[in-house]
């Protein structure tokens, strides 16, 4: 992806596929970092992705008042299902046991 973007920028023409990918990444980031709630669940959102991948046992934060915002888990679920090609679930699954041992 980086190579495609660099080539497009160098050529002075960013194609529709790159622009569509940018929109998809923005949608994911909004869910993970909790844009809808002024980033209140940003740490817990990242923890939730890692929990779903089997790397974390929960979404706990140092501040016990921090956590997922209302509806954030559903938004994370939505983008992970809608854009599986943007995730690294297969890479994590292939390496998780080695990392956690």
């Amino acid at each position: 992806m980086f190579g495609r973007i660099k080539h497009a920028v160098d050529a002075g023409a960013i194609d529709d596929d790159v622009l569509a990918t940018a929109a998809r990444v923005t949608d994911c980031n909004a869910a993970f970092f909790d844009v809808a709630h002024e980033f209140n669940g940003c740490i817990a959102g990242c923890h939730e992705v890692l929990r779903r991948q089997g790397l974390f046992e929960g979404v706990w934060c140092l501040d016990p008042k921090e956590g997922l915002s209302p509806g954030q888990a559903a938004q994370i679920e939505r983008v992970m299902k809608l854009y599986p090609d943007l995730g690294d679930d297969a890479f994590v699954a292939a390496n998780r046991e080695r990392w956690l041992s």
Side-chain angles (χ1 to χ4, degrees):
M1 178 56 72
F2 177 72
R4 287 181 51 215
I5 293 168
K6 185 173 180 352
H7 177 72
V9 169
D10 291 347
I14 299 184
D15 62 58
D16 290 343
D17 187 50
V18 170
L19 293 174
T21 300
R24 294 169 42 220
V25 168
T26 299
D27 192 19
C28 289
N29 285 343
F32 301 149
F33 298 110
D34 197 26
V35 172
H37 298 98
E38 299 179 356
F39 303 93
N40 287 323
C42 65
I43 294 170
C46 293
H47 290 184
E48 175 63 7
V49 173
L50 296 171
R51 185 196 65 76
R52 289 171 186 237
Q53 293 178 322
L55 294 172
F56 277 21
E57 292 183 12
V59 297
W60 311 292
C61 298
L62 291 176
D63 182 345
K65 292 182 269 182
E66 289 186 39
L68 292 171
S69 293
Q72 187 180 5
Q75 287 300 309
I76 291 170
E77 179 74 19
R78 178 186 65 79
V79 297
M80 290 180 81
K81 283 185 176 178
L82 197 56
Y83 314 121
D85 58 305
L86 296 180
D88 59 356
D89 292 349
F91 173 75
V92 171
N95 293 283
R96 181 179 46 240
E97 293 305 319
R98 180 173 53 87
W99 295 335
L100 296 178
S101 62

